[in-house]
Amino acid sequence: MLPQKSLMRRFAGVALVLFTTACSVSAASDPVITGPPPKPLAPCAWWYGIGDSPAAWEIREAAKHYDVVVLNAWETSAMRRLHDLNPKVKVLVYKDFSSTRNYAGAVEGDRDARYLPTGIGYHAAQQHADWFATDTAGKRIEWAGYPKHWQMAVWNKGYQEAWTKAVVGEVVREGWDGVLADNDFSSLRYYSPAVLAGTTDTADTDRLLREGLDGLLALSGDTLEKAGKMLVPNVSESQLTPGRWSAHSRYAGAMEENFGLRGDNGAGELITFKGNQFKEQRAQAALGESWLLLITHTKSDQEERVGYASAALLAGPHTCWTQADPSYKSPYWSIYQDARLGEAVEAANRLPSGTWTRRFSNGWVAVNPTKAAVRLTPPPGLVTVRGGPVPPELDLAPADAVVYVNAR
């Protein structure tokens, strides 16, 4: 959690009304929407508040400005306070799909803590050795960079059933709106180079993990849905597997914590627009039935612009965006969240150059996800979000974006 001075910058200049839900995108290939379309407004804001316990003033501000808040399992008082202040805000509890943990706080001596960041406590899991994933030498897998986080056998039916029973029971008992399920990942390689026992290589390991998470998501999602609760998984690298985003967002939605990510291959392209992921996210936004929770890690103004503008392209009735600077645990408020773009007056358009644009009642956004600069002609009568002039023509750099608003 950031020092109070930094956190207060998050809310500077924010209107004292709750941000409304976001806008919808349509295209010829998108699903047909029956009935009146949802009102297409600019992206709403959300808070991934899993750092230190939030202060009372933070809870008050969150109730005013966020549509979704994610908190740790032990923050039940904060969750209830948010519900009291704003019954419309969705408050989700953080739970990890893929690990059990035995660092201080997750365990208390020889017992599991009452409230866990995982579905299954470490000591409870010790009674079921087959719930721990092992490598080809039979050794348990501790995540690199995350001491005392242990990879679980997410494909194990017993583990899936125990995770679901424990988490759904807690959500219903405590009154959470649902679950933010972390580490619905596509590959083990970011946590360990291990090859899982029973698999032939890392590709086979990743296949086993993905199939296991498919099963865990289906069981927990069905059970939460029957209980009237939400499941929102943090889906990683869905652009690598066509259909994965659509499948894993089918309950209450999904989270993308690397939205607007620039490739590390030097080409300058935006990974978010690669593969089938962006198309699947557009279809989800157009249906307007589930949440897209988007995070852009921002170390520069360019990354902040790209993240917000890309979210505006996807905006639907439940599309929310936040930046993470420098950590996703402690989001700042972005100047672009004060832009007040208004209502979308057209669908997101992909130009022949590969650039995407969208016009709003109070502004215009453009995103260039390609590796080459693109010449654009903005609509007339616009200024920057800081009130500066907009040229009649501009060269939009690779992996960059612009967010302009109507001159007042």
Side-chain angles (χ1 to χ4, degrees):
M1 186 64 64
L2 295 176
Q4 180 169 318
K5 188 174 185 180
S6 296
L7 279 166
M8 289 181 70
R9 289 200 299 270
R10 188 191 326 163
F11 299 108
V14 180
L16 295 182
V17 293
L18 176 68
F19 272 82
T20 53
T21 50
C23 50
S24 117
V25 180
S26 62
S29 60
D30 289 340
V32 175
I33 304 172
T34 59
K39 192 174 183 180
L41 299 176
C44 59
W46 72 291
W47 184 22
Y48 200 26
I50 61 170
D52 293 338
S53 294
W57 73 268
E58 293 178 274
I59 295 298
R60 291 193 300 270
E61 294 300 318
K64 295 174 184 175
H65 306 306
Y66 294 125
D67 282 25
V68 178
V69 173
V70 180
L71 296 174
N72 287 309
W74 48 91
E75 303 293 356
T76 53
S77 295
M79 174 264 291
R80 295 185 182 106
R81 180 61 174 154
L82 277 167
H83 281 153
D84 288 343
L85 292 169
N86 181 6
K88 293 183 179 180
V89 68
K90 301 298 184 183
V91 191
L92 308 181
V93 62
Y94 174 96
K95 294 288 183 179
D96 191 8
F97 262 160
S98 296
S99 74
T100 192
R101 306 174 185 181
N102 64 330
Y103 51 68
V107 296
E108 298 170 352
D110 60 355
R111 297 182 303 169
D112 293 316
R114 179 183 179 188
Y115 295 110
L116 298 169
T118 59
I120 302 297
Y122 179 82
H123 290 296
Q126 290 280 58
Q127 309 304 313
H128 304 272
D130 58 337
W131 290 2
F132 286 87
T134 58
D135 61 19
T136 52
K139 184 179 179 182
R140 291 179 180 178
I141 299 168
E142 185 177 16
W143 287 353
Y146 296 89
K148 299 186 178 181
H149 293 55
W150 303 93
Q151 176 63 46
M152 303 305 285
V154 294
W155 59 89
N156 183 285
K157 296 297 184 183
Y159 173 77
Q160 293 177 356
E161 291 169 358
W163 194 99
T164 298
K165 181 179 179 180
V167 170
V168 176
E170 181 179 341
V171 167
V172 172
R173 181 180 66 250
E174 300 294 346
W176 297 94
D177 291 306
V179 179
L180 189 291
D182 198 10
N183 286 307
D184 183 7
F185 51 61
S186 295
S187 175
L188 184 61
R189 69 180 180 273
Y190 295 109
Y191 291 139
S192 172
V195 173
L196 292 173
T199 67
T200 57
D201 52 26
T202 55
D204 198 26
T205 284
D206 292 344
R207 177 197 56 77
L208 178 61
L209 287 171
R210 286 194 299 270
E211 290 178 356
L213 287 164
D214 290 345
L216 178 52
L217 176 119
L219 180 60
S220 59
D222 285 346
T223 309
L224 284 162
E225 191 170 69
K226 288 176 183 177
K229 302 296 183 178
M230 302 165 59
L231 175 64
V232 180
N234 178 11
V235 184
S236 68
E237 296 187 295
S238 63
Q239 77 275 5
L240 301 179
T241 309
R244 184 173 175 82
W245 181 272
S246 295
H248 283 234
S249 64
R250 70 182 184 270
Y251 291 103
M255 167 182 161
E256 171 58 84
E257 69 172 328
N258 289 300
F259 184 72
L261 179 68
R262 187 169 184 168
D264 58 4
N265 61 359
E269 296 173 296
L270 296 175
I271 293 175
T272 293
F273 293 81
K274 291 290 190 180
N276 212 51
Q277 174 181 314
F278 192 68
K279 179 180 179 180
E280 292 176 34
Q281 289 172 335
R282 290 189 73 209
Q284 179 192 350
L287 283 173
E289 296 174 351
S290 58
W291 295 88
L292 285 88
L293 302 183
L294 310 173
I295 296 177
T296 303
H297 293 263
T298 57
K299 297 180 181 178
S300 68
D301 291 341
Q302 177 179 340
E303 290 167 329
E304 186 176 348
R305 289 193 303 273
V306 166
Y308 181 82
S310 299
L313 296 176
L314 284 179
H318 300 297
T319 300
C320 292
W321 176 84
T322 186
Q323 65 170 324
D325 179 14
S327 168
Y328 66 83
K329 295 180 180 180
S330 303
Y332 288 85
W333 190 267
S334 169
I335 187 174
Y336 297 104
Q337 288 167 318
D338 279 330
R340 303 180 188 177
L341 287 174
E343 184 175 347
V345 297
E346 64 179 7
N349 301 301
R350 187 176 186 273
L351 306 181
S353 63
T355 298
W356 290 81
T357 66
R358 194 174 194 186
R359 192 73 161 98
F360 290 79
S361 61
N362 193 44
W364 180 77
V365 301
V367 181
N368 177 12
T370 75
K371 58 185 178 181
V374 174
R375 175 61 62 94
L376 294 176
T377 303
L382 300 176
V383 295
T384 69
V385 293
R386 294 178 173 85
V390 170
E393 289 191 327
L394 62 93
D395 290 316
L396 188 57
D400 205 349
V402 291
V403 179
Y404 295 148
V405 295
N406 294 354
R408 292 184 178 90

